[in-house]
Amino acid sequence: MRIVRADVIVTSPSRNFVTLKITADDGVTGLGDATLNGRELAVAAYLRDHVVPLLVGKDPARIEDTWQFLYRSAYWRRGPVTMAAIAAVDMALWDIKGKVANLPLYQLLGGACRTGLRAYGHASGASLPELFDSIREHMAAGYTAIRVQTAIPGLGAVYGVAASAASAGAGGERYDYDPAQRGAQPAEEAWDTSAYLRHVPTVFEAVRGEFGPELPLLHDGHHRMTPIQAARLGKVLEPYDLFWLEDCTPAENQEALRLVRQHTITPLAIGEVFNTIWDFQTLIREQLIDYVRAAVTHFGGVSPLKKLVDYAAQYQVRSGFHGPTDISPVGMAAQLHLGLAIHNFGIQEYMPPSAAASAVFRHAFAFVGGYLHPGDVPGLGVELDEAAAGQYPYQQAYLPYARLRDGTVHDW
Ligand code: CS2
Ligand code: MG
């Protein structure tokens, strides 16, 4: 069997997606997600100009060898663009292997360790009543775990807080539907960490008051605190028994988490912007985190993400794979197969794809009663409707960025 062609498909059904489609000489095809929010075309070019020419003629069955070839022969390793490109190839080859074996991917990864994957959804509000309504909406939709993000008094738009329907984004979709906003320039948001640190504990106190002690609650600090600020927030949130506090501080400096861990027992999740196992090594080896947040699309694919969770398992660290709308249905499918097959599964983030995206990416995975299942279709279980994809040309879009009151650029 030989790869005869590989196509890079860029489409924008409510948001931009980059997909690699590999075709083998017997006509079997495989899909891979290469979507890097706000930098999509960089990965598309990396694939088109540098990777696709190297794939044609290769044996699609040699997944690990192809991964090592793409990672090592590039000489320039790691980084979000490179690893998203390699991820797409890896996913597509696993898709082909599943179709050839006539098995869903999770069966090739060792079979199911559970009947479904518990998911968490994104509730948010500009006020407590709006937040409570959003939590109820998500519970009514089946979610049994809820991420809580809230507006901050004195600040305008902040990460994760849906614009109510009235002031929704250009497509009429909720703000938290996708943080990347179409346009030629990124939106600037004001940020004030002290105001945030004063407000968030009051919100979790109110949510626990309203919904009781059992509902698993998650919160995303979205990389905005210094280590000591993160330690403080983790500590004051302890009475509200969070499932996790995510990305509490930028973790390029992994040692920074030692200070956080020293001061709080609130479980910590990190890693959605990480691209290789090296980014996690100290965090896992020193038990500085409890969940790995890597996503298959940004971590180089199924093959390295499996190695990461196997390493994490030695330290009782569990998976919490990143699953916002900028992970395409192809990427979501791939990590659901992996999540079903691993023992140390923790929880799966799930922002449902839009109706337009689901029409372009017809997917076998399903969300029922708060749990996800990848389906039992051979391979990943996603078919790309290229005619439909052609209806949605790429549109420039950027993630917002943040500035402090004195104008300093801050982590968004
Ligand atoms: C977020 C993401 O879902 C999350 O946990 O951190 O929404 C993140 O902001 C986006 O994926 C950025 O593209
Ligand atoms: Mg996050």
Side-chain angles (χ1 to χ4, degrees):
M1 205 174 175
R2 289 279 168 247
I3 294 173
V4 288
R5 59 178 299 155
D7 301 289
V8 179
I9 298 145
V10 180
T11 180
S12 198
S14 55
R15 59 141 298 114
N16 298 321
F17 294 114
V18 177
T19 306
L20 179 71
K21 178 181 175 186
I22 293 180
T23 304
D25 49 9
D26 61 356
V28 177
T29 61
L31 297 177
D33 178 27
T35 305
L36 187 63
N37 212 2
R39 297 292 184 274
E40 294 89 354
L41 298 184
V43 186
Y46 189 106
L47 281 167
R48 271 199 198 105
D49 302 339
H50 302 296
V51 172
V52 166
L54 303 178
L55 294 175
V56 175
K58 276 199 172 307
D59 176 355
R62 301 183 64 186
I63 304 178
E64 182 67 20
D65 179 67
T66 302
W67 194 95
Q68 296 296 342
F69 167 71
L70 292 174
Y71 183 73
R72 296 174 193 281
S73 73
Y75 192 65
W76 311 107
R77 301 178 182 186
R78 304 170 73 173
V81 173
T82 299
M83 300 316 286
I86 297 177
V89 176
D90 186 80
M91 279 178 248
L93 297 183
W94 277 111
D95 196 12
I96 288 175
K97 193 174 279 289
K99 289 176 178 175
V100 170
N102 198 26
L103 289 170
L105 175 56
Y106 75 85
Q107 291 292 13
L108 296 178
L109 297 171
C113 274
R114 54 198 56 77
T115 52
L117 305 171
R118 187 179 205 175
Y120 73 88
H122 288 194
S124 66
S127 65
L128 282 180
E130 203 179 279
L131 174 61
F132 292 174
D133 288 348
S134 178
I135 293 173
R136 289 193 188 94
E137 261 171 46
H138 282 80
M139 292 169 83
Y143 287 99
T144 61
I146 306 283
R147 188 188 82 166
V148 168
Q149 304 295 133
T150 175
I152 309 298
L155 296 180
V158 292
Y159 168 74
V161 180
S164 54
S167 58
E173 277 128 358
R174 289 166 51 97
Y175 174 92
D176 68 342
Y177 180 73
D178 193 305
Q181 296 159 31
R182 291 173 169 163
Q185 291 290 325
E188 182 178 309
E189 296 180 351
W191 181 251
D192 178 338
T193 309
S194 304
Y196 165 80
L197 289 173
R198 285 191 299 273
H199 185 62
V200 168
T202 68
V203 171
F204 277 91
E205 182 182 17
V207 170
R208 279 290 178 226
E210 181 76 13
F211 293 93
E214 287 171 21
L215 179 64
L217 298 177
L218 302 83
H219 180 66
D220 194 341
H222 223 254
H223 326 271
R224 290 164 187 234
M225 291 169 273
T226 63
I228 199 65
Q229 289 171 332
R232 169 181 159 190
L233 183 64
K235 188 131 196 81
V236 292
L237 290 179
E238 284 174 7
Y240 312 117
D241 185 24
L242 266 62
F243 184 95
W244 79 34
L245 172 60
E246 175 187 339
D247 284 330
C248 57
T249 188
E252 290 100 329
N253 164 21
Q254 297 181 47
E255 284 81 11
L257 272 298
R258 291 178 186 151
L259 186 64
V260 181
R261 207 53 151 181
Q262 220 175 304
H263 290 281
T264 181
I265 56 168
T266 291
L268 301 175
I270 277 186
E272 68 182 48
V273 297
F274 288 177
N275 314 114
T276 71
I277 199 163
W278 316 110
D279 301 324
F280 279 105
Q281 215 179 15
T282 303
L283 294 173
I284 292 174
R285 195 182 54 235
E286 295 186 18
Q287 309 276 181
L288 299 176
I289 59 171
D290 305 286
Y291 297 91
V292 291
R293 285 279 289 145
V296 69
T297 305
H298 304 130
F299 203 72
V302 173
S303 306
L305 191 56
K306 174 97 173 52
K307 294 172 186 173
L308 172 72
V309 285
D310 289 346
Y311 174 61
Q314 314 313 313
Y315 297 86
Q316 289 142 35
V317 173
R318 294 185 285 169
S319 73
F321 298 152
H322 189 212
T325 43
D326 51 290
I327 299 289
S328 89
V330 176
M332 180 57 75
Q335 55 196 30
L336 294 182
H337 281 281
L338 180 58
L340 198 68
I342 58 176
H343 180 255
N344 55 327
F345 171 79
I347 198 165
Q348 173 64 53
E349 177 180 14
Y350 183 55
M351 291 177 78
S354 71
S358 291
V360 169
F361 297 95
R362 292 194 298 276
H363 52 84
F365 67 73
F367 176 62
V368 179
Y371 288 76
L372 289 156
H373 192 283
D376 285 295
V377 172
L380 293 178
V382 183
E383 292 306 325
L384 173 61
D385 181 330
E386 293 183 55
Q391 311 290 317
Y392 302 99
Y394 170 80
Q395 295 189 49
Q396 182 97 50
Y398 285 103
L399 287 166
Y401 72 105
R403 282 191 187 276
L404 304 178
R405 294 188 192 284
D406 68 1
T408 307
V409 171
H410 192 70
D411 302 288
W412 175 77

